[in-house]
Amino acid sequence: MSSILTNSSAFAAAAAAAAAVTIVSKSTVCPDRDSSLGDLPLSVSDLPMLSCHYIQKGLFFPSPPMPIASLVSLLSSSLSRALSLFPALAGRLSTPPDGRILVSCNDAGVEFAYATADSLTLPDLLAPSSDVPPAVKSLFPLDGAISFHGHFRPLASFQLTELADGAVFLGAAVNHAVVDGTSFWNFFNAWAELCRGGSPSPPDFRRNYFGDSKAVLRFPGGRGPEVTFPVDAPLRERIFRFSQEAIFDLKSRANDGFVKVATIGDPDAEIYGKQVHDPKAVMAYKEEQISSFQSLCAHVWRSVTRARKQLPPEAMTTFRMAVNCRHRVEPQVAPNYFGNAIQSIPTTAAVREVVGRDLRWAAGLLHRNVASHGNETIRRGVAVWEAAPRCFPLGNPDGAGLTMGSSHRFPMYEGNDFGWGLPAAVRSGRANKFDGKMSAFPEREGGRSVELEVCLAPETMEALLRDDEFMSYVAE
Ligand SMILES: *[C@@H]1O[C@H](CO)[C@@H](O)[C@H](O)[C@H]1NC(C)=O
């Protein structure tokens, strides 16, 4: 287990990491065809993200079987074609006098950089059982950019970094007021498919999420927002892997020991030990059941709250989950809807109860909250926002919060073969990270384990790593 870096040595490490990466070339890539999309107004789900950093996610690949110059040219020509399918990413934000904020699809282009890192190798950067090395952060472009800056900066920027062992990292920064995680990976998948010779279908650009809202989010004086959390607070970041078996075990505990409902039509489907032949009964039971992911979230909520030893028992703690609203609203929004269609679901309870009661209790709270977040709840949330438009208050001001972003269901591996195999790993940049921020990633092999990237205050991470109950579910 690695030792804890002191603050100043962490900064020194970050500075050394940045120095390890050299930008060799940088170009502007434009769509290979003119766009006819015009202006796309930001929606009620896009506007609150203007104070968030650009999304920074990227993929490590083993050494590609071609000279690096050919790779750079292949990636930028396929990027140009991908931008013709997704012209919104090649535009800029603009604010006409009426105060609405639009994506102007003006084909201004995105950035594509090629960099080298002669002192970094894939095994160093993916070392197991240690913190994520600070060097990973230097593999991303547009560090610190806030989505509002899309008025004058590209809405997307990419960096291909060649490591000393020939492995590469393809890092992306994409404006969070223009995409959510679903749209981000939809674009990445389309780029990969074009690169390997396929012809992906275009996304749905009807930004009709809740029709034509009249709400306007104003930024007086043209000054943009600041991020809503301290960006230089000390943080440790680690990736914890939970195997399918460990997650099943948590789910079983959360559901009071019984989770054997396989698939509808399965002759062995059982509910509480009884054979069931009615598919409706099986479906109803499955919906009632606390899911694997909710069970895992409850485990993390309890463990991190226990590790935050400074919290008094009567303090309140909140677990926030970002959810995709596309399939939750009625009528449904298309899966390839391009833009944000997300909301945050907060679940709040006293520290004493989260820590003192069992997993089943915390998991039940999360489950009931997520299960009830349907059409009505989503529209109520939108109405509340429209009555008082504001930026999304991302962060953890009371030190007792946890926020789960990203999703283990996103196609980060499957779908991202650029022509020479699946990515070796997915990693993220410094963007939108604070004490208590977590991101879920799927398993590379397409199984059901989940990787959680967890950012915590150093003393909390230290306590979590010493917590036997938490660690007993973590795969090495
Ligand atoms: C969804 O919610 C809206 C607003 O409350 C309502 O008008 C609409 O009928 C709902 N749709 C369905 C199918 O429940």
Side-chain angles (χ1 to χ4, degrees), residues 114-175:
Y114 160 54
T116 55
D118 298 338
S119 58
L120 304 175
T121 67
L122 193 58
D124 297 340
L125 294 174
L126 296 182
S129 305
S130 62
D131 288 15
V132 175
V136 169
K137 307 290 181 274
S138 58
L139 306 177
F140 288 91
L142 288 186
D143 210 22
I146 296 171
S147 295
F148 187 87
H149 298 166
H151 282 87
F152 52 90
R153 301 183 93 160
L155 298 179
S157 182
F158 305 92
Q159 179 178 322
L160 177 76
T161 306
E162 183 185 18
L163 308 181
D165 54 359
V168 297
F169 185 77
L170 186 53
V174 183
N175 194 292

Side-chain angles (χ1 to χ4, degrees), residues 25-27 29 72 75-76 79 110-114 158 160 191:
S25 64
K26 196 189 248 188
S27 58
V29 177
V72 169
L75 285 174
S76 62
L79 176 58
V110 303
E111 283 173 348
F112 182 82
Y114 160 54
F158 305 92
L160 177 76
W191 182 12

Side-chain angles (χ1 to χ4, degrees), residues 48-385:
M49 310 312 284
L50 284 164
S51 60
C52 298
H53 290 133
Y54 278 50
I55 297 179
Q56 288 179 317
K57 294 264 174 355
L59 303 166
F60 282 108
F61 289 94
S63 186
M66 68 186 89
I68 197 77
S70 314
L71 180 63
V72 169
S73 117
L74 176 64
L75 285 174
S76 62
S77 65
S78 51
L79 176 58
S80 169
R81 283 181 290 141
L83 291 172
S84 290
L85 276 184
F86 294 78
L89 287 183
R92 296 289 183 274
L93 298 183
S94 74
T95 305
D98 64 9
R100 286 176 311 144
I101 303 182
L102 319 162
V103 183
S104 162
C105 300
N106 59 6
D107 298 341
V110 303
E111 283 173 348
F112 182 82
Y114 160 54
T116 55
D118 298 338
S119 58
L120 304 175
T121 67
L122 193 58
D124 297 340
L125 294 174
L126 296 182
S129 305
S130 62
D131 288 15
V132 175
V136 169
K137 307 290 181 274
S138 58
L139 306 177
F140 288 91
L142 288 186
D143 210 22
I146 296 171
S147 295
F148 187 87
H149 298 166
H151 282 87
F152 52 90
R153 301 183 93 160
L155 298 179
S157 182
F158 305 92
Q159 179 178 322
L160 177 76
T161 306
E162 183 185 18
L163 308 181
D165 54 359
V168 297
F169 185 77
L170 186 53
V174 183
N175 194 292
H176 209 333
V178 181
V179 296
D180 61 6
T182 303
S183 299
F184 177 98
W185 292 111
N186 187 1
F187 169 77
F188 228 102
N189 287 177
W191 182 12
E193 190 174 344
L194 283 163
C195 194
R196 58 173 199 266
S199 40
S201 45
D204 182 343
F205 281 112
R206 283 170 302 173
R207 295 178 83 95
N208 56 349
Y209 186 55
F210 303 115
D212 300 307
S213 176
K214 297 280 177 282
V216 176
L217 179 58
R218 292 186 194 279
F219 295 95
R223 259 197 343 271
E226 304 281 333
V227 282
T228 50
F229 54 90
V231 290
D232 44 13
L235 277 187
R236 285 183 69 184
E237 176 181 326
R238 258 177 120 97
I239 308 240
F240 294 106
R241 195 170 84 82
F242 297 87
S243 70
Q244 179 174 336
E245 293 71 31
I247 294 171
F248 188 83
D249 192 9
L250 289 168
K251 181 177 182 180
S252 176
R253 272 175 63 199
N255 285 285
D256 210 9
F258 201 89
V259 287
K260 184 173 187 288
V261 170
T263 45
I264 295 172
D266 175 351
D268 294 329
E270 268 182 46
I271 296 176
Y272 289 112
K274 283 190 231 132
Q275 293 293 317
V276 174
H277 302 290
D278 175 4
K280 270 202 195 128
V282 175
M283 183 65 109
Y285 181 73
K286 284 182 84 165
E287 272 170 24
E288 217 173 273
Q289 185 171 271
I290 296 169
S291 75
S292 300
F293 193 63
Q294 289 154 5
S295 307
L296 176 59
C297 286
H299 175 60
V300 176
W301 190 15
R302 297 178 76 232
S303 308
V304 171
T305 306
R306 198 159 56 224
R308 286 176 165 160
K309 302 193 189 301
Q310 79 283 6
L311 293 178
E314 66 280 6
M316 300 304 280
T317 162
T318 301
F319 192 103
R320 292 185 177 79
M321 270 166 140
V323 295
N324 182 0
C325 295
R326 286 170 179 74
H327 56 281
R328 292 174 180 270
V329 284
E330 291 177 43
Q332 291 198 357
V333 174
N336 66 346
Y337 169 90
F338 191 77
N340 288 279
I342 48 173
Q343 278 185 350
S344 170
I345 306 183
T347 304
T348 299
V351 166
R352 176 194 296 111
E353 297 210 282
V354 171
V355 169
R357 293 188 169 217
D358 60 8
L359 179 77
R360 202 174 135 217
W361 184 83
L365 279 189
L366 294 174
H367 170 73
R368 282 192 295 281
N369 234 349
V370 173
S372 68
H373 204 87
N375 184 49
E376 300 291 329
T377 319
I378 291 173
R379 289 176 193 272
R380 211 160 42 235
V382 169
V384 166
W385 186 86

Side-chain angles (χ1 to χ4, degrees), residues 370-417:
V370 173
S372 68
H373 204 87
N375 184 49
E376 300 291 329
T377 319
I378 291 173
R379 289 176 193 272
R380 211 160 42 235
V382 169
V384 166
W385 186 86
E386 285 178 319
R390 58 171 188 160
C391 287
F392 183 71
L394 192 66
N396 179 16
D398 63 7
L402 281 163
T403 296
M404 179 66 77
S406 191
S407 170
H408 59 295
R409 296 215 171 86
F410 288 158
M412 301 184 191
Y413 293 101
E414 157 229 334
N416 279 332
D417 178 349

